[in-house]
Every structure is written in structure tokens, then in C-alpha cells.
Amino acid sequence: MNITDKKDQLAKLGLGMEILNPYREPHRFYHTVEHLDDLCDQLEKKGFGDNDALLLATVFHDIIYDPRSATNEEDSVRYFNNTFNGDQLLKDEVTGIILDTKTHKPNSELSHIFCQADLNILNQPFDKLLKYEQQIFKEFQFVDYAVYKEKRVEVLKSLQHSVNNPALEYLIDYVNFREPRIAVYPGSFNPFHKGHYNILQKAEQIFDKVIIARGINPGKDKASYDFPEILKYRQIASYEGLLTDFISSLGYDVTIIRGLRNGSDLQYELNQYRYLQELSDKSINLIAIFCDMEFEHISSTGIRQLEKYGKAGDYLV
């Protein structure tokens, strides 16, 4: 049973399928339409497939999801009450269910049913728990890995009280001892343009996470451009001094990403790589990625010049 199978039931409640669009936001990896499908399937199997309150809770409980925010449940409730024009008693019931998902401590029978379904992923075998962990890791990629690991273990241990699944202990061990493939993409990024984004997208197909590191280069102008909104959910750092010192300060192994446009860039980056090797006792890891042909002419310097004439917009992300 998928959420799309609930089209007619949602229509009777005055809701179209466009209500699902927030679950397709690019920063979501677990809190997606697939999560709603799982909830619908569970509720159907338990005999609650026709319950309007549980369906509305399914659709609206994560409709506002910002992993940076501590008020997603409250914001989702506000969105629900502003969007749904049904019976007030039904609205109150759904509001209670959504708010209970903040702590998963139900205050009603229906809330108990929904909270169990929402935590069902924690009852799954290790292979599904592993996929779940990788999805959550991607949603919180803006957090430094050392911090993420500590906080994630705390969360999983607290959730152990809600489920009885020995595989969850293995997941905690996995988080504790995992060594994800993390890269650092350094640059002045003044501005961060479409060519940079092209390199970033390619790097993210190789690595579990890419840190965007803006360096303060005394040989270049101070950055006058903010990073684009599309990078909001990625880890962005800034550093002064040597790149090797910044990498050492992270406390875990990373690979440096260098973006290339042409052969001239390759020669320049090869020389820079030799310096990096010497400054890091040759232990540095680096890969170079060529941008696609359509971006090979774009440079931050060129964009800053075009900006004076109002012509830079086409090259910015």
C-alpha cells in the first residue's frame, strides 16, 4: 500500500497529491515519500487504512522537515492547521499525534499506533538499519562528522528503550566505528558558481560527504559573495593559513578534491599537489575531477567582471 493509493481518500479530505511535494525536497533522504509509503503499508496491515486521522498524521507529520531545526513537529502542526479545513475535533486529534512524534511518547490510542509505525524502521534487520543510517547521515551532512557520530550514538541509545531489536546494538557499533569516505573541496569560491557545483555533484557520487572549505587567500580579494542557498544542508567551513593545517584540525582522514577545467588547470594543480605532499609528509590524498565541457570556461574572476555589467547571473548557482 502506497500513499498514492490514498488519492481518493485524500481528495475527500480536500487534499490533492501536490501535498506530497515537500517530501521530494532535495535535502531529504529518509523523510521522503518512501517513508510515507511504509507508514501507509503498516497502518493498512493493522486495519487502520481507512482512518482519516492516521492518514492526515502520515501526510503532515514530517511535511516541514529542516534537519537544522528543533521545531519541525510544531511547524508541521502549524502548516497542517493552516492547510486543512476539516472538522476541528479531527484537527485536534491529528495535532496531538504529530506533536507526540517529537518524543514518541503517545498520549492517545491512535497516537500509540502511529508512533509505533513511525519507529518501525528500528525493528528492521541490520541491512535495512544500515540503509536507514546512511540516509540519516546524508540528511545531517552539514554537521561535522565527529559531532555527528557522538550525537547519533546518543540518539540511537535513547531509542533502544522504545524497541526490542538486537540489531540496533550492531547499528550503534557501526556508527561508532564507521570510517566514511569524506572529502574536502577547498577554494576561495568568490563566487561559488555552476562550474564549482558541477565538480561538487561529481564528488558526491564518489564520497559519502564533501566538506566545502572556503580558504582565505591573501593573494585574492576577500570573498564578497555568500554561498548559494542550495548548499544550505552541506557542511561549509572556512580557514586561514595552510590547507594541510585545516585538514589536520578535522581529526579524521579526508581526501582533497580539486576541480579542473583544462590542461592549464591540471599543470597548476600538479604543482600545488607537490607542495601539499611536502607540507603533509606525503600522506595527503587528492583526486582531481574535470568539469563538464559546458562549464570549462567559467571562472570566478570572469564572473566578477561580468557582475559590473549585470551579466553574471547565468553563471551563478
Side-chain angles (χ1 to χ4, degrees), residues 122-280:
L122 300 178
N123 292 302
Q124 300 305 307
F126 182 69
D127 61 327
K128 292 187 177 180
L129 286 175
L130 194 60
K131 179 181 178 181
Y132 160 67
E133 171 57 30
Q134 291 165 346
Q135 291 169 329
I136 296 297
F137 179 81
K138 291 291 288 183
E139 288 187 344
F140 284 85
Q141 61 184 293
F142 61 89
V143 179
D144 183 78
Y145 173 62
V147 176
Y148 172 84
K149 181 168 71 171
E150 178 185 353
K151 297 300 182 182
R152 182 62 174 156
V153 169
E154 288 180 9
V155 169
L156 290 174
K157 285 185 175 180
S158 69
L159 291 172
Q160 277 186 301
H161 302 297
S162 304
V163 297
N164 181 23
N165 183 7
L168 194 54
E169 189 64 41
Y170 293 113
L171 182 63
I172 293 172
D173 287 341
Y174 171 80
V175 175
N176 259 322
F177 298 105
R178 180 191 182 195
E179 295 182 359
R181 297 168 299 174
I182 300 178
V184 170
Y185 183 20
S188 55
F189 302 124
N190 188 33
F192 188 97
H193 54 66
K194 289 183 177 180
H196 293 138
Y197 190 55
N198 181 243
I199 297 296
L200 176 63
Q201 288 179 302
K202 292 184 176 187
E204 288 179 336
Q205 294 177 25
I206 302 170
F207 295 92
D208 298 311
K209 171 178 175 172
V210 178
I211 301 170
I212 302 163
R214 172 177 270 172
I216 310 300
N217 189 334
K220 294 187 177 182
D221 294 335
K222 184 178 179 180
S224 55
Y225 290 82
D226 293 330
F227 280 105
E229 181 72 13
I230 200 168
L231 302 181
K232 178 180 179 181
Y233 297 103
R234 294 172 171 90
Q235 183 177 349
I236 296 176
S238 61
Y239 68 94
E240 296 185 44
L242 296 174
L243 175 60
T244 49
D245 291 340
F246 168 71
I247 289 174
S248 296
S249 72
L250 293 173
Y252 44 82
D253 291 336
V254 297
T255 298
I256 297 173
I257 298 294
R258 299 305 297 174
L260 303 179
R261 292 172 299 173
N262 48 45
S264 298
D265 277 357
L266 178 59
Q267 185 61 52
Y268 173 80
E269 293 297 346
L270 182 59
N271 290 336
Q272 295 300 304
Y273 179 49
R274 298 307 179 212
Y275 282 118
L276 288 171
Q277 284 181 310
E278 293 174 355
L279 292 168
S280 61

